[in-house]
Amino acid sequence: MSADRMAGAGRSNKLLRALLYSVLILFAVYYLLPLYVMLVNSVKPLEEIRQGDMLSLPTLFTLEPWAKAWSSAQIGVQPTGLKPYFLNSVLMVVPAVTISTVLGALNGYILTKWRFRGDDVIFGLILLSCFIPFQIALIPAARILGMLGLAGTTTGLILIHVVYGLGFTTLFFRNYYAAFPTELVRAAQIDGASFFQIFRRILLPSSAPIIVVTVIWQFTNIWNDFLFGVSFGDFDSLPMTVALNNLVSSSGGVKEYNVHFAGAILAALPTLVVYIVSGRYFVRGLMAGAVKG
Amino acid sequence: MSFLKIEKLKKSFGRVEVLKGIDLEIEEGGFLVLVGPSGCGKSTLLNTIAGLETITDGTISINGRSVNDLHPSERDIAMVFQSYALYPNMTVAGNIGFGMEIRGVAKAERDAAIARVAETLQIGQLLDRKPSQLSGGQRQRVAMGRALVREPQVFLFDEPLSNLDAKLRVDMRTEIKRLHQRMGTTIVYVTHDQIEAMTLATRIAVLKDGVLQQFGTPAEIYARPANLFVADFMGSPSMNLIPATLDADGADVAIVMKRDEGAPLVLPYAKNVPELAARKGEMVVFGIRPEALTDPDSADRNARHVSELDCDIEVIEPAGSDTFAVTRIGGREIVARLRADAPIIAGQKARLAFNLDKAVLFDPQTQLRIA
Ligand SMILES: Nc1ncnc2c1ncn2[C@@H]1O[C@H](COP(=O)(O)OP(=O)(O)OP(=O)(O)O)[C@@H](O)[C@H]1O
Ligand SMILES: [Mg+2]
């Protein structure tokens, strides 16, 4: 009898599992469908898209749309393709991510290991900056960039993104370093290590997970930013996101969907790569911060 | 002349005063143990000596030189932390050599020093490992190695053995004592284990709530505790503290203790002590350590003053080398320490010898020892 019950339990268990998996697969399909549509249609000639349905595989495979999106499509008035803007984005994102991460790490180090009177208040204020909506900052930011002579430059965009990202990077590192044993810092002090030596030799080597989290977070946010890019960018500094928008909206007459799809994937590719390369650490680092915060 | 001297040391965190005016000194080569219950300020005191915490008031001097304003690395001290605080990303050799590396000591010289220390502590085969690959005892040794290699004027230890299991703790305790005897360097050592304090120290400082309770040799602290707190805190099993009344006949004093049944116990305490006799009729606390309360055959033959009394034995706890017997006097459980094969049975009467040479009296109001 008990064996019977167990078999019954096993069966219902299996059923539950099957149900669970079907639901999960359904969700996965739901999320992957747009990507599939984009991929499939980015390698079809335009006629095929117009005739057939969006979901079918290409009958005639071509990389023409990718080449066009990259180097010759009409962006605004010039037929430059997305290439120069991709470069603008890289030139903006790399320094902005690096600087904001380094400053965030230093802030976190000071706020946890070199505490001073009123440090909580300062941290609170830094934290507050995470909640300020972009739109509020637009006009003051424009004024300041103008005053600094940085309007329309990549440097200006870097400055904006660094300032805006500092709240988050500081939060990440502060929470991570709060759980870092202070006795290690004290031991290093007795060993005679300086402020920066302690940071570089003791804390930094143990910071890989939180650096990965911060870099992913900053990279995605800055790469995907549209508002600051469109507000403060020029031809020399417009980021990829704005260019993509211009590509989609400016090719008058025929809508070249295949080129648009290819361009969109190109725009999303860097963040995708960053995720795949370091996603493993992302989850681990977030958990560490969350639990020990 | 004192080597490490602490005068009127005060330390507050914000509005909370953690150290309330500490005066301590230790001679060169001494072994000072700071002992006290959790949260009494031991670590804080040690950290102020190391320079890791600023002080609010007072002075700390090492070898005649005030170190108040010196950075931790300039005080010529080395510290072993409770958590060991080994740098997780460096090898054992890297950990031991880090201070020298920072000071710019040449690689060859550094390696020689590391090898020397590794030899002393027998950790030569561990030098290339990371701390995460070491056992607790090995980590402890590496932490000591990092301190030894500095060859400081003063070693500071903050509960270095508290993370080890019981057996290893005893071994390491002996090893620390051996190292101290060999090197003769001054040591300040924090623990809340009073056995560690008794076995290691040349001087013990007992702290409670940031106030120094007593400062003296282990023997003084054990035999003549300054107050009820020290009497209760030091020694294991702890001192029997029994409420009693003083009785006097002329200048001769006796102690009267109530019993649940029968007549009160009367012990002649001392002869010809007029100051004490003046307190006739007052309440006191009678303190006697378990080993001073034993079966008549084991009683100290050299003691001048032993009284024997019949007591009801409630429980016996054989502990191998000794047998502990619990009786009840003055409403308190009283522990006596008898030889292992003493003929004694729980629930029956037994004759116990009180060695009154070793007994002390406290004033229950002021908590201070009066005799
Ligand atoms: N940075 C700090 N800020 C505020 N209060 C502190 C700080 N460090 C310690 N204290 C307080 O000072 C008191 C003494 O702490 P300390 O660490 O010196 O105790 P301890 O005697 O070493 O205790 P334990 O045996 O548990 O290690 C405690 O009440 C503690 O809460
Ligand atoms: Mg402590």
Side-chain angles (χ1 to χ4, degrees), chain B residues 104-307:
Chain B
V105 176
K107 179 98 171 65
E109 198 179 324
R110 225 155 64 200
D111 288 344
I114 294 171
R116 219 166 34 240
V117 167
E119 161 94 32
T120 310
L121 292 169
Q122 294 155 8
I123 49 174
Q125 73 288 4
L126 306 176
L127 287 179
D128 294 325
R129 294 214 206 150
K130 289 280 176 67
S132 57
Q133 299 165 313
L134 302 176
S135 71
Q138 289 169 333
R139 279 178 211 180
Q140 218 283 323
R141 279 168 190 271
V142 175
M144 299 240 304
R146 193 170 61 184
L148 285 186
V149 82
R150 289 179 65 92
E151 296 180 355
Q153 296 205 46
V154 180
F155 280 113
L156 306 175
F157 289 89
D158 192 354
E159 304 200 28
L161 307 183
S162 62
N163 287 333
L164 301 179
D165 63 54
K167 165 105 176 59
L168 208 50
R169 197 179 311 172
V170 174
D171 292 349
M172 283 310 292
R173 196 171 74 199
T174 314
E175 183 141 344
I176 289 177
K177 184 142 197 175
R178 190 176 297 136
L179 273 173
H180 176 243
Q181 280 167 0
R182 200 171 67 202
M183 296 182 311
T185 311
T186 312
I187 293 182
V188 183
Y189 186 105
V190 166
T191 179
H192 58 238
D193 177 353
Q194 41 84 24
I195 299 185
E196 249 169 53
M198 294 297 296
T199 49
L200 290 172
T202 59
R203 280 273 188 299
I204 295 179
V206 185
L207 289 170
K208 182 191 164 206
D209 298 335
V211 178
L212 188 62
Q213 302 293 311
Q214 189 172 6
F215 178 50
T217 65
E220 276 165 17
I221 297 231
Y222 191 76
R224 327 276 308 152
N227 57 33
L228 279 170
F229 171 79
V230 178
D232 189 46
F233 189 77
M234 299 299 291
S236 167
S238 54
M239 182 184 270
N240 296 306
L241 296 168
I242 312 164
T245 320
L246 270 187
D247 196 9
D249 176 12
D252 300 348
V253 172
I255 306 293
V256 182
M257 291 173 282
K258 284 207 199 73
R259 277 206 279 195
D260 287 354
E261 300 156 20
L265 273 183
V266 179
L267 289 174
Y269 179 75
K271 288 208 190 317
N272 203 9
V273 276
E275 322 82 75
L276 214 52
R279 289 180 176 245
K280 177 175 177 174
E282 285 182 26
M283 293 295 296
V284 292
V285 175
F286 174 71
I288 187 161
R289 296 217 176 261
E291 64 270 21
L293 182 54
T294 184
D295 51 298
D297 292 345
S298 325
D300 188 350
R301 306 244 174 267
N302 299 322
R304 285 168 297 139
H305 209 153
V306 178
S307 284

Side-chain angles (χ1 to χ4, degrees), chain A residues 180-181 183-194 197 201-202 205-206, chain B residues 47 53 71 73 79 81 83 85-90 98-99 101-102 146 150:
Chain A
F180 189 88
E183 286 197 343
L184 285 177
V185 176
R186 300 194 144 170
Q189 272 179 283
I190 291 181
D191 271 338
S194 66
Q197 277 171 328
R201 300 288 306 275
I202 312 295
S206 302
Chain B
N47 286 337
E53 297 281 7
H71 185 269
S73 63
M79 187 152 171
F81 294 87
S83 66
L86 299 179
Y87 311 126
N89 54 303
M90 299 179 202
F98 185 68
E101 192 188 331
I102 295 291
R146 193 170 61 184
R150 289 179 65 92

Side-chain angles (χ1 to χ4, degrees), chain B residues 42-44 82 158-159 190:
Chain B
K42 306 180 295 288
S43 298
T44 307
Q82 183 170 3
D158 192 354
E159 304 200 28
V190 166

Side-chain angles (χ1 to χ4, degrees), chain A residues 80-99:
Chain A
T80 54
L82 289 171
K83 192 165 76 177
Y85 303 99
F86 191 90
L87 210 71
N88 285 348
S89 269
V90 171
L91 288 179
M92 168 186 78
V93 169
V94 172
V97 169
T98 313
I99 296 171

Side-chain angles (χ1 to χ4, degrees), chain A residues 29-236:
Chain A
V29 170
Y30 181 76
Y31 281 114
L32 285 175
L33 202 61
L35 184 65
Y36 168 79
V37 169
M38 283 169 70
L39 260 178
V40 171
N41 291 299
S42 72
V43 291
K44 284 179 193 169
L46 198 56
E47 295 83 64
E48 214 179 291
I49 298 181
R50 279 215 218 94
Q51 292 156 10
D53 69 313
M54 303 268 278
L55 292 176
S56 62
L57 289 169
T59 38
L60 193 80
F61 179 85
T62 169
L63 285 178
E64 185 69 21
W66 284 75
K68 191 167 179 194
W70 180 245
S71 56
S72 65
Q74 190 88 14
I75 310 283
V77 285
Q78 268 139 339
T80 54
L82 289 171
K83 192 165 76 177
Y85 303 99
F86 191 90
L87 210 71
N88 285 348
S89 269
V90 171
L91 288 179
M92 168 186 78
V93 169
V94 172
V97 169
T98 313
I99 296 171
S100 61
T101 304
V102 168
L103 288 182
L106 281 173
N107 282 350
Y109 170 50
I110 293 169
L111 286 172
T112 53
K113 303 302 171 209
W114 298 88
R115 308 206 41 187
F116 51 92
R117 196 180 285 275
D119 55 356
D120 282 341
V121 178
I122 292 193
F123 178 58
L125 289 176
I126 294 178
L127 205 58
L128 206 64
S129 75
C130 298
F131 301 105
I132 299 175
F134 281 21
Q135 290 80 350
I136 291 181
L138 278 184
I139 292 171
R143 284 273 306 172
I144 289 171
L145 287 183
M147 270 155 46
L148 294 175
L150 294 174
T153 64
T154 300
T155 317
L157 279 174
I158 292 173
L159 178 66
I160 294 286
H161 282 300
V162 165
V163 170
Y164 215 88
L166 219 50
F168 289 98
T169 57
T170 302
L171 170 69
F172 290 159
F173 278 99
R174 197 211 79 111
N175 283 0
Y176 189 77
Y177 288 151
F180 189 88
T182 301
E183 286 197 343
L184 285 177
V185 176
R186 300 194 144 170
Q189 272 179 283
I190 291 181
D191 271 338
S194 66
F195 176 86
F196 281 109
Q197 277 171 328
I198 294 175
F199 180 61
R200 221 168 45 75
R201 300 288 306 275
I202 312 295
L203 274 86
L204 221 45
S206 302
S207 305
I210 201 65
I211 291 175
V212 169
V213 168
T214 312
V215 166
I216 291 185
W217 175 268
Q218 284 297 88
F219 190 95
T220 351
N221 275 335
I222 300 175
W223 184 274
N224 289 338
D225 163 71
F226 182 80
L227 190 61
F228 286 149
V230 79
S231 312
F232 305 130
D234 244 342
F235 173 75
D236 291 333

